[in-house]
Amino acid sequence: MALDARSSTFETLSKKIEARTARAGIIGLGYVGLPLAIAVARSGFAVTGFDIDPKKIVALDARRSYIDAVTSEALTAEIDAGRFSSTTDFASLSDCDVIVICVPTPLTKHRDPDLSFVEATSRSIAAHLRPGQLIVLESTTYPGTTDDIVKVILEGTGLKSGSDFFVGFSPEREDPGNQHYHTATIPKVVAGDGTQALSLMKSFYGAVVSTVVPVSSNATAEAVKLTENIFRSVNIALVNELKTVYAAMGIDVWEVIDAAKTKPFGYMPFYPGPGLGGHCIPIDPFYLTWKSREYELPTRFIELAGEINSAMPRYVVGKLAEALDIRAGKALSRSRVLVLGLAYKKNVADIRESPSLRLIEIIEERGGKADYHDPFVAEIPPTREYQALKGRNSIDLTPDAIAGYDAVLIATDHDVIDYAALSKSAKLIVDTRNVFSRLGLTADHVIKA
């Protein structure tokens, strides 16, 4: 392609984005993709959402949101304004000027990256690729994925990145349940394959979010996301380990943290729990661990943090069994346990990688009977690792129901729970979130774990 033709491709797309006449296609309408799609539509772009799950499209066509971060009213407003539609027909990708990939990047059983969704999506885009498109990956992954996988698959069409089409990476930063920040107010890191791609990335995301943070390469942007989540994983592992050590010394780790955080510099509080959940922290650090093997470099901090955090559910069940033995004279194998909270964090319905699922599994492996209550999760949906739990229903949290259990294990501290009433009905409570102390509630039958 001649230089002027290349320039024309860039300038045409740039002008479309600037005038907001470009159509955006968002692939993957989950916790990342749907909030992004609505934010892009609100900023004035026409948006087509793509997903392989027809149930999601049916819900969206009925103006019913299935993501907490997007209200049905907000969804309806964008549909009625003609700025948002959704489909399972990927042929419509050819109508899109900007295409954003928001698909899962899980781990295999051996903790290796599973990029099958990214690769399949890239091939779907390649089938409908045309000159003058910007292709963006938002899915968290190891440095090099955008350039070495997405770009390579797209260039397999004969079209070239940086001339015929443009490629960029911008890591998602969604935080389900966060009441202070949402998609449009969270600073957006952006990168591109070349100066023109970066210019398009800044222009597109600059129209959608309040702050854009450009970096020098797609690999750098990919590393930014991993660094954010590794930071959290390592620090959570540290306080989880401190919890076990201080507990052996008769010291309350939560009291220690509360006092330590009064220091106005040099300290940032992180809190222990029953394990890690969500799509990011339990998974993303291992993308770097895997990639580092290519360079024959160890990632000891990351791997050790993973080991500590992964061990927490079993540690918690051990404390539960100990409390049942000492307080009730009853073995876990003969006990009924109510796990309070299935979501991985409070006040949301998100159960991705939730440690509560592992807690239930371990309790039942040890012969106990486990039920759960979660005001946001009425039924356990299909999951990759916990197929045997699929279809179980949340029990009603009535005084009689609570009294029927030998112990209540607080795994997620949802705010809507009446903990004072819970305390009156429960025989024994094992609190992994320090919710009772935090609320100023004291009772002899509440044990921290």
Side-chain angles (χ1 to χ4, degrees):
M1 181 180 285
L3 182 59
D4 59 345
R6 293 179 182 179
S7 179
S8 176
T9 302
F10 163 72
E11 289 176 359
T12 299
L13 180 53
S14 184
K15 288 177 181 177
K16 281 186 174 182
I17 292 173
E18 185 178 349
R20 307 195 188 192
T21 58
R23 175 172 288 275
I26 311 296
I27 303 177
L29 299 175
Y31 286 94
V32 174
L34 186 58
L36 176 64
I38 297 305
V40 173
R42 277 177 170 166
S43 67
F45 293 98
V47 178
T48 302
F50 297 85
D51 204 284
I52 59 173
D53 184 355
K55 292 180 181 178
K56 289 181 179 176
I57 306 306
V58 169
L60 294 172
D61 285 346
R63 294 166 164 75
R64 186 176 71 253
S65 174
Y66 43 83
I67 300 294
D68 291 339
V70 176
T71 66
S72 294
E73 291 76 16
L75 171 65
T76 299
E78 298 312 312
I79 293 174
D80 288 346
R83 290 189 294 262
F84 178 76
S85 61
S86 58
T87 183
T88 57
D89 183 5
F90 281 60
S92 298
L93 286 169
S94 60
D95 299 326
C96 299
D97 302 293
V98 179
I99 300 172
V100 185
I101 303 169
C102 303
V103 298
T105 46
L107 295 171
T108 68
K109 290 182 179 179
H110 302 290
R111 286 189 171 177
D112 290 336
D114 178 1
L115 293 178
S116 58
F117 296 101
V118 171
E119 292 170 354
T121 301
S122 298
R123 287 191 290 270
S124 295
I125 295 170
H128 305 287
L129 190 66
R130 60 165 172 80
Q133 291 179 308
L134 170 64
I135 315 301
V136 185
L137 179 63
E138 285 213 4
S139 305
T140 306
T141 185
Y142 59 80
T145 301
T146 304
D147 294 338
D148 298 342
I149 294 180
V150 177
K151 174 183 167 182
V152 169
I153 290 174
L154 298 178
E155 286 192 329
T157 63
L159 299 176
K160 296 300 178 184
S161 174
S163 55
D164 301 310
F165 65 92
F166 306 91
V167 175
F169 182 82
S170 180
E172 61 87 5
R173 282 174 160 175
E174 289 296 319
D175 185 20
N178 193 313
Q179 300 299 311
H180 302 290
Y181 295 98
H182 53 85
T183 304
T185 61
I186 300 170
K188 203 83 168 77
V189 174
V190 299
D193 178 31
T195 57
Q196 290 185 331
L198 179 57
S199 176
L200 293 169
M201 292 285 288
K202 290 192 291 185
S203 180
F204 174 67
Y205 282 104
V208 177
V209 303
S210 57
T211 305
V212 170
V213 183
V215 296
S216 60
S217 68
N218 288 329
T220 300
E222 290 161 338
V224 168
K225 174 64 174 181
L226 293 184
T227 300
E228 293 169 0
N229 287 334
I230 290 167
F231 173 78
R232 295 167 67 194
S233 175
V234 169
N235 280 281
I236 292 170
L238 174 62
V239 294
N240 274 330
E241 185 168 66
L242 290 175
K243 174 178 71 174
T244 65
V245 174
Y246 289 153
M249 298 177 179
I251 298 170
D252 185 339
V253 70
W254 283 279
E255 183 182 1
V256 171
I257 294 169
D258 284 345
K261 73 181 182 182
T262 62
K263 184 180 180 181
F265 53 88
Y267 182 81
M268 179 182 294
F270 286 82
Y271 297 93
L276 287 183
H279 175 69
C280 294
I281 306 179
I283 294 175
D284 297 348
F286 294 103
Y287 270 69
L288 186 61
T289 293
W290 180 86
K291 185 65 174 177
S292 71
R293 295 175 199 156
E294 181 182 327
Y295 299 89
E296 298 182 354
L297 292 171
T299 51
R300 290 191 290 269
F301 266 119
I302 298 172
E303 293 179 29
L304 179 59
E307 290 174 13
I308 293 170
N309 290 328
S310 295
M312 281 301 104
R314 194 167 290 281
Y315 169 83
V316 166
V317 174
K319 297 292 285 185
L320 167 67
E322 180 184 286
L324 281 165
D325 181 34
I326 295 173
R327 297 299 185 100
K330 196 168 186 180
L332 176 59
S333 60
R334 295 185 291 107
S335 299
R336 297 182 70 230
V337 179
L338 176 63
V339 176
L340 191 59
L342 196 72
Y344 83 89
K345 64 185 294 190
K346 69 178 184 178
N347 305 334
V348 302
D350 192 346
I351 69 163
R352 290 176 298 171
E353 307 298 324
S354 173
S356 296
L357 298 168
R358 181 64 179 140
L359 290 169
I360 293 172
E361 185 177 67
I362 295 172
I363 290 168
E364 296 192 341
E365 283 175 354
R366 294 185 58 166
K369 170 62 179 172
D371 293 319
Y372 84 94
H373 170 79
D374 193 305
F376 299 94
V377 186
E379 180 180 322
I380 301 181
T383 58
R384 211 180 252 195
E385 293 86 1
Y386 303 100
Q387 286 295 326
L389 303 182
K390 181 181 69 174
R392 293 196 187 185
N393 295 312
S394 173
I395 66 108
D396 293 332
L397 201 64
T398 65
D400 287 345
I402 295 168
Y405 291 94
D406 298 294
V408 176
L409 174 60
I410 300 176
T412 313
D413 51 334
H414 292 304
D415 289 336
V416 297
I417 301 296
D418 186 339
Y419 293 98
L422 175 70
S423 178
K424 292 177 181 178
S425 300
K427 297 184 180 78
L428 174 67
I429 297 172
V430 177
D431 184 359
T432 73
R433 298 292 187 177
N434 197 40
V435 63
F436 273 82
S437 290
R438 198 169 67 242
L439 295 176
L441 301 172
T442 58
D444 291 339
H445 63 304
V446 176
I447 308 299
K448 295 184 182 182

